[in-house]
């Protein structure tokens, strides 16, 4: 009698970073154990014939329950991770929120406690450094020991923005500890000049937000980050690169020896900045802002060619009312868009439309984030010994995006009404069904909240 497995995924088109191969897949004790031709009657089966089987997506950039412009974002760990798992995201990377004067390790512990409501998917943490000091930098090795190996800095936002000297100090400290530095790269001074010019001309309405954070601010900040990366020899992860100029700056600094990893988001690949005729431009306010179609096309081309490392969302949803109450002053509109539940469906849509090789999905959404953030011992690929996080996608069906079918705790989606190629059929977390389509053809969770905190490793 042959080996009996806990679960066999039969005849699917398995998506690996080096190509797509039709094969069977076995799961035991929550991990992948066999890939190939598995004998019949080897255990409970999923018929995946005609479908793609991809590693569960890792959204490395989400913000769960944060305050922006005095408004609390709508997704905590409950609704945020529910939206994630119903969209095929099996692991999310959230951020600590360091209070003024708070220790770095204390901010990590406080964030861990905030997840007490339970998580539908697995999650890991990045540590925001927004109140830097020598004492905070001295805590970095302890934070790494606690399983948080990535540290984020902002070059924008009053009260959080750091200067180049602080950036360099953090790079040296993180390099010594073996971690990775993430940077929100927009030059605060250039933003302030752009904002003042708009205010001087009486341009305060929401539509003018999209001119308040110019691409030049992103490009200049990227150059400064690149120079610091060269100086210290420390790799840096650039979050949400949004413009052709920002991308060109990053690639230029790479050519000079900077070890820069580039992230972008679906909104910068598929949405153009709104024109003056749109009724509610405030709904699309995020930072960096949406750009022109030429920016979008430049990013999309680089995504498919392999120059961009990670596709993530910067998920940070608010309601219509939270956005609309500040529409007369773009400075007060809370920035952020819902996105974690549509990340994988949008990327799959691009792959089926031949904008993106299918195997690049496995890199952008799983392999690369797992390697960069210290998860590659457990996550990131369909590979024996790794957590059996996977999704079944049906290329023969289509999906119409409707906020009524989504699980984020907000009342709108920038993708409302968009028809996507392909359909998410099932989501598995550590070999157990976590979400599936119900009788109304809507994804819904299965079972209990089984997500856990994943300690990153160096």
């Amino acid at each position: 009698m042959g080996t009996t497995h806990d679960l066999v995924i039969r005849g699917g088109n398995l998506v690996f970073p080096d190509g797509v191969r039709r094969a069977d897949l076995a799961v035991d004790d929550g991990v992948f154990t066999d890939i190939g031709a598995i004998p019949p009657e080897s255990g409970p089966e999923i018929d995946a014939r005609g479908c793609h089987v991809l590693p569960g997506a890792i959204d490395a950039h989400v913000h769960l329950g944060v305050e922006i412009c005095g408004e609390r974002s709508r997704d905590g760990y409950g609704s945020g991770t529910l939206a994630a798992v119903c969209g095929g995201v099996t692991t999310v990377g959230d951020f600590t929120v360091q209070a003024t004067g708070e220790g770095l390790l204390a901010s990590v512990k406080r964030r861990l406690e905030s997840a007490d409501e339970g998580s539908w998917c697995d999650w890991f943490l990045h540590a925001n450094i927004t109140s830097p000091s020598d004492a905070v930098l001295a805590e970095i090795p302890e934070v790494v020991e606690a399983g948080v190996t990535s540290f984020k800095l902002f070059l924008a936002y009053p009260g959080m923005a750091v200067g180049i000297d602080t950036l360099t100090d953090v790079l040296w400290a993180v390099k010594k500890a073996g971690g990775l530095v993430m940077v929100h790269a927009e030059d605060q001074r250039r933003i302030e000049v752009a904002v003042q010019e708009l205010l001087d001309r009486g341009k305060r309405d929401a539509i003018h937000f999209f001119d308040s954070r110019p691409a030049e601010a992103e490009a200049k900040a990227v150059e400064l980050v690149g120079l610091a990366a060269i100086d210290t020899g420390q790799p840096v992860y650039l979050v949400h690169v949004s413009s052709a100029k920002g991308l060109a700056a990053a690639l230029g600094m790479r050519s000079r020896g900077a070890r820069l990893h580039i992230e972008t988001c679906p909104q910068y690949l598929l949405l153009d900045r709104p024109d003056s005729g749109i009724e509610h431009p405030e709904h699309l306010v995020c930072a960096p802002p949406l750009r022109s179609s030429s920016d979008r096309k430049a990013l999309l081309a680089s995504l498919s060619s392999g120059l961009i490392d990670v596709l993530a969302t910067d998920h940070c949803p608010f309601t219509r009312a939270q956005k609309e109450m500040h529409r007369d002053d773009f400075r007060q509109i809370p920035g952020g868009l819902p996105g974690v539940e549509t990340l994988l469906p949008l990327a799959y849509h691009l792959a089926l439309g031949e904008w993106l090789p299918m195997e690049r999905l496995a890199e952008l959404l799983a392999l690369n984030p797992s390697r960069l953030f210290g998860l590659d011992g457990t996550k990131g690929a369909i590979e024996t010994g790794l957590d059996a996080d996977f999704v079944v996608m049906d290329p023969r069906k289509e999906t119409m995006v409707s906020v009524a079918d989504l699980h984020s705790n907000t009342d709108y989606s920038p993708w409302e009404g968009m028809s996507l190629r392909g359909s998410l059929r099932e989501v598995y977390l550590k070999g157990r069904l976590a979400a599936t389509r119900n009788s109304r053809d809507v994804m819904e969770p299965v079972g209990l909240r089984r997500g856990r905190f994943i300690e990153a490793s160096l």
Side-chain angles (χ1 to χ4, degrees):
M1 185 175 177
T3 301
T4 299
H5 298 287
D6 292 347
L7 182 66
V8 175
I9 301 89
R10 185 73 67 187
N13 296 307
L14 308 187
V15 181
F16 302 98
D18 61 351
V20 180
R21 300 192 298 276
R22 184 176 179 182
D24 302 328
L25 180 63
V27 174
D28 296 287
D29 295 324
V31 301
F32 297 119
T33 54
D34 195 6
I35 302 170
I38 297 173
E41 300 181 3
S42 296
E45 293 191 359
I46 302 168
D47 184 357
R49 290 174 295 181
C51 295
H52 287 106
V53 179
L54 294 102
I58 299 171
D59 189 344
H61 189 161
V62 305
H63 298 280
L64 301 178
V66 296
E67 188 171 304
I68 299 176
C69 293
E71 297 291 334
R72 190 83 173 169
S73 65
R74 297 300 299 168
D75 278 338
Y77 273 82
S79 62
T81 60
L82 173 62
V85 80
C86 288
V89 172
T90 52
T91 308
V92 297
D94 187 29
F95 293 81
T96 66
V97 181
Q98 187 189 18
T100 302
E102 182 181 31
L104 198 60
L105 188 59
S107 72
V108 170
K109 291 179 178 178
R110 182 165 55 83
R111 197 59 173 164
L112 290 171
E113 292 170 358
S114 73
D116 281 348
E117 62 183 298
S119 175
W120 291 93
C121 68
D122 288 347
W123 55 285
F124 64 104
L125 279 178
H126 315 289
N128 274 332
I129 300 179
T130 53
S131 186
S133 65
D134 290 343
V136 164
L137 299 192
E139 287 186 273
I140 286 175
E142 293 180 85
V143 174
V144 169
E145 185 67 24
V148 178
T149 62
S150 41
F151 301 83
K152 186 181 179 184
L153 295 171
F154 295 82
L155 300 190
Y157 298 119
M160 293 198 301
V162 303
I164 193 66
D165 290 340
T166 299
L167 169 63
T168 302
D169 289 344
V170 172
L171 287 175
W172 282 118
V174 174
K175 180 179 182 180
K176 185 176 180 180
L180 178 67
V181 174
M182 310 168 74
V183 178
H184 178 128
E186 290 182 289
D187 183 71
Q188 180 61 27
R189 179 59 185 152
R190 280 170 169 74
I191 292 171
E192 290 172 355
V193 169
V195 168
Q196 192 58 53
E197 288 178 349
L198 289 166
L199 297 179
D200 290 345
R201 294 156 57 196
K203 297 182 180 296
R204 293 174 176 264
D205 293 350
I207 192 63
H208 301 296
F209 168 81
F210 302 91
D211 293 316
S212 71
R213 307 177 82 95
E216 291 79 8
E218 182 173 73
K220 179 59 177 177
V222 168
E223 289 175 359
L224 291 173
V225 171
L227 290 172
I230 292 171
D231 181 39
T232 60
Q234 167 67 11
V236 177
Y237 181 99
L238 297 169
V239 299
H240 50 47
V241 173
S242 66
S243 66
K245 289 181 179 179
L247 176 64
L251 297 178
M253 295 311 298
R254 270 185 185 174
S255 71
R256 294 173 59 179
R259 297 167 62 193
L260 299 181
H261 304 291
I262 302 172
E263 170 199 283
T264 195
C265 310
Q267 56 265 33
Y268 304 122
L269 300 173
L270 292 167
L271 296 177
D272 293 337
R273 57 173 289 167
D275 59 36
S276 58
I278 190 173
E279 184 177 1
H280 289 289
E282 65 274 10
H283 294 171
L284 296 175
V285 166
C286 60
L290 304 181
R291 308 288 188 183
S292 69
S293 61
S294 60
D295 288 295
R296 178 172 54 78
K297 292 173 183 176
L299 288 167
L300 192 56
S302 295
L303 186 78
S304 61
S305 65
L307 295 174
I308 291 175
D309 300 286
V310 174
L311 185 59
T313 65
D314 196 11
H315 175 83
C316 189
F318 296 88
T319 63
R320 291 174 181 268
Q322 286 176 300
K323 295 272 194 177
E324 291 169 11
M325 72 172 64
H326 303 290
R327 64 179 300 174
D328 294 334
D329 185 349
F330 65 76
R331 295 170 298 173
Q332 302 303 317
I333 301 170
L337 300 176
V340 68
E341 192 166 356
T342 48
L343 171 63
L344 178 57
L346 288 167
Y348 192 63
H349 168 77
L350 289 174
L352 292 181
E354 299 182 355
W355 287 292
L356 181 65
M358 186 65 67
E359 56 268 24
R360 283 284 290 143
L361 293 192
E363 291 183 337
L364 290 162
L365 297 184
L367 183 66
N368 288 349
S370 73
R371 288 178 172 174
L372 289 170
F373 297 111
L375 311 178
D376 50 334
T378 55
K379 306 286 184 183
I382 296 175
E383 180 180 315
T384 57
L386 297 187
D387 284 355
D389 300 345
F390 65 95
V391 298
V392 181
M393 305 287 297
D394 192 338
R396 298 160 294 191
K397 296 185 177 181
E398 293 188 352
T399 302
M400 180 69 72
V401 180
S402 170
V403 70
D405 298 335
L406 300 177
H407 297 80
S408 178
N409 192 24
T410 186
D411 54 2
Y412 82 101
S413 168
W415 315 103
E416 181 74 27
M418 185 174 180
S419 180
L420 303 180
R421 300 173 180 86
S423 177
L424 177 59
R425 198 183 85 180
E426 295 161 342
V427 182
Y428 284 79
L429 179 64
K430 293 187 284 293
R432 298 175 66 181
L433 184 64
T436 189
R437 290 202 170 272
N438 63 22
S439 59
R440 297 186 297 111
D441 199 30
V442 173
M443 293 297 294
E444 66 176 8
V446 174
L448 304 175
R449 302 182 188 188
R450 298 190 298 268
R452 60 190 171 98
F453 172 62
I454 306 297
E455 292 188 10
S457 60
L458 298 175

